[in-house]
Amino acid sequence: MRVPTCIPVIPKNAKKYVNAAIDKNWISSLCLDEQVNFIEKLEKGMARYVGVRYGVSTTSGSTALDLALATLGIKPDDEVIIPSFTMIATAHAVIHNGGIPVFVDADEETWCMDTSLIEQTITGRTKAIIPVHIYGHPEDMDKINAIAEKHNLDVIEDAAEAIGTQYKGEMAGSLGNIACFSFYANKIITSGEGGILVTDNENFAKRAHMLKDQAFGVPRFIHEDIGFNFRMNNLTAAYAFASFEEVEDAVEKRRGNAKLYSDGLSDIEGITLPPEKDYAKSSFWMYGILIDEAVFGFSKTKVKDILKQKYTIDTRDFFYPMHRQPSLIKRDYVRDDISMPISEKLWNCGLYLPSSTNLKEAEINYVVEAIRNIKASSLNCQTKAK
Ligand SMILES: Cc1ncc(COP(=O)(O)O)c(C=O)c1O
């Protein structure tokens, strides 16, 4: 049985909505027909779902982050605190705006940024913090917001992986000044590519709408600001809206899959299951595990290889920490001798298992059995070696 890491669900209404946009010939980011204005439906629907007033669709989660920082007015040499353990788009957004990303190690329990290490990185130039809800587990937002308030910093949630995630009963995306989601193909809502910025702040929403559209002003072609073309087109929005209509079911399915995995793997020594703190409802966007080589018997790389070669099961490595990225070291964003032990451990030990929304129970059982067999063979190897 071949089990891929993640395949997107094709939404029930995808063709109907995309065809409706085509039939009415509204295919760009401009749509003057309310009935087929999927950009507006998506923006309003997402904002309502998250619990804020405004949504600003974009071409990706990455461009939503770029736009969020521009909206907040991050300028050259402003410092922005981000986790080292994240996907590189978080760092790129800071750099694209001329800012300096300042990295913080991960928390061993949640895999999100360690909030106890943030304050020591704050300087007179710090302007914002970007917590990342890693693999769908929420950052401890009360702590982040308390630090932000104390030091007068903005908070941008990188909620790319966290559609449907909750923190103390509140939706991820409603917990900072601005939040960004991704609609990439492996995300819980998807249009292949795409993203959205959401906010409860009217001024931020207006500014984000203006900046994403080349900062067009009135009269048109007179520009007061430097903008971008981050406009989502109506065909993409039609697909994304069809996917959005299925969000609740998709989140519950990913959570159900996570429970099946955890039930199957919990008694295997040497495996750490993904976190879900008391305050959290994780979307379990990806089901990640850590493999402790000394206890499990094989390294995560070996386990990945066996899963692939012997069982045709695809997995993915965890993120390579930002403070170790050659691109960032080369440009002096970080020194090459910095150590962040938890982020490094997550990279060394972490992999995620197949996590498609529509994974079948038989597929999950197959993956669990494969891991059990690998563990048993590692025990055999150890016995023979003695
Ligand atoms: C934490 C995080 N931020 C940002 C992004 C960027 O989103 P996109 O791929 O839609 O540009 C991703 C993508 O997976 C992500 O995981």
Side-chain angles (χ1 to χ4, degrees):
M1 183 187 304
R2 180 171 179 257
V3 195
T5 320
C6 191
I7 41 172
V9 176
I10 300 174
K12 200 162 52 69
N13 286 326
K15 285 184 185 165
K16 182 172 147 195
Y17 293 167
V18 172
N19 283 337
I22 295 170
D23 289 344
K24 296 279 184 82
N25 205 9
W26 288 111
I27 60 166
S28 76
S29 62
L30 177 71
C31 180
L32 299 180
D33 181 333
E34 203 187 321
Q35 220 192 338
V36 296
N37 189 343
F38 292 104
I39 297 167
E40 200 175 292
K41 289 181 203 287
L42 177 69
E43 290 177 341
K44 287 195 169 149
M46 266 300 283
R48 203 176 317 115
Y49 174 70
V50 168
V52 297
R53 284 178 294 168
Y54 308 102
V56 182
S57 56
T58 56
T59 48
S60 67
S62 303
T63 54
L65 284 166
D66 286 9
L67 184 63
L69 286 154
T71 299
L72 293 177
I74 295 300
K75 294 183 304 303
D77 296 337
D78 285 350
E79 292 175 4
V80 179
I81 297 170
I82 72 168
S84 180
F85 186 65
T86 183
M87 192 262 195
I88 199 141
T90 324
H92 280 166
V94 180
I95 294 168
H96 292 160
N97 279 276
I100 300 170
V102 175
F103 306 108
V104 169
D105 201 1
D107 177 279
E108 187 151 27
E109 285 182 18
T110 65
W111 305 347
C112 296
M113 183 160 42
D114 183 340
T115 52
S116 72
L117 301 176
I118 293 178
E119 276 199 284
Q120 69 198 47
T121 69
I122 294 176
T123 71
R125 293 193 299 183
T126 309
K127 290 292 177 335
I129 311 178
I130 311 184
V132 181
H133 306 308
I134 284 287
Y135 301 133
H137 189 283
E139 174 58 275
D140 190 344
M141 290 303 294
D142 281 353
K143 291 196 180 141
I144 298 274
N145 285 330
I147 296 168
E149 202 169 320
K150 182 170 161 196
H151 297 275
N152 195 23
L153 308 175
D154 285 311
V155 175
I156 299 172
E157 291 174 78
D158 183 340
E161 307 173 354
I163 291 166
T165 291
Q166 293 181 21
Y167 172 76
K168 297 187 177 173
E170 306 282 325
M171 280 289 186
S174 67
L175 305 162
N177 303 101
I178 293 182
C180 300
F181 292 95
S182 162
F183 299 147
Y184 180 65
N186 62 14
K187 298 303 187 297
I188 293 179
I189 299 174
T190 184
S191 42
E193 302 283 355
I196 195 165
L197 174 160
V198 298
T199 180
D200 208 39
N201 180 311
E202 188 180 357
N203 291 333
F204 289 160
K206 280 188 179 152
R207 186 166 157 75
H209 268 297
M210 180 268 291
L211 289 176
K212 83 159 195 185
D213 186 18
Q214 300 289 18
F216 276 114
V218 182
R220 203 169 164 82
F221 300 118
I222 311 271
H223 301 261
E224 301 286 348
D225 226 314
I226 305 293
F228 315 87
N229 177 358
F230 291 160
R231 300 183 303 256
M232 179 183 276
N233 68 69
N234 202 33
L235 297 174
T236 301
Y239 197 106
F241 183 68
S243 182
F244 166 71
E245 288 181 328
E246 299 173 4
V247 62
E248 276 162 22
D249 182 51
V251 171
E252 286 320 309
K253 280 186 175 154
R254 293 225 185 185
R255 286 181 55 75
N257 294 344
K259 181 163 183 335
L260 289 175
Y261 270 132
S262 291
D263 289 348
L265 297 172
S266 61
D267 63 337
I268 304 179
E269 282 185 19
I271 291 188
T272 303
L273 304 181
E276 188 168 40
K277 299 287 270 186
D278 292 350
Y279 55 70
K281 179 178 174 187
S282 175
S283 66
F284 291 103
W285 166 61
M286 288 291 157
Y287 188 88
I289 57 171
L290 304 181
I291 294 184
D292 178 346
E293 182 176 357
V295 182
F296 187 84
F298 288 135
S299 70
K300 77 124 185 218
T301 310
K302 180 86 179 160
V303 173
K304 270 176 71 64
D305 283 351
I306 303 174
L307 285 172
K308 177 78 184 164
Q309 302 308 331
K310 186 161 178 201
Y311 297 96
T312 54
I313 294 169
D314 286 338
T315 58
R316 286 277 184 286
D317 284 317
F318 272 17
F319 298 126
Y320 190 59
M322 295 303 109
H323 71 279
R324 300 276 302 274
Q325 293 291 346
S327 60
L328 302 178
I329 293 170
K330 244 186 280 174
R331 289 167 180 77
D332 290 332
Y333 287 111
V334 64
R335 287 206 329 258
D336 64 356
D337 59 350
I338 297 283
S339 162
M340 297 201 180
I342 306 301
S343 303
E344 286 158 27
K345 175 180 158 187
L346 291 170
W347 158 255
N348 286 326
C349 304
L351 61 90
Y352 58 77
L353 302 177
S355 298
S356 307
T357 300
N358 279 348
L359 213 54
K360 296 187 184 69
E361 192 167 340
E363 291 174 309
I364 295 175
N365 291 340
Y366 176 68
V367 176
V368 168
E369 271 320 297
I371 294 173
R372 288 190 167 284
N373 291 342
I374 296 170
K375 169 77 182 176
S377 68
S378 90
L379 290 174
N380 285 341
C381 290
Q382 282 164 4
T383 316
K384 278 185 197 143
K386 282 176 192 163

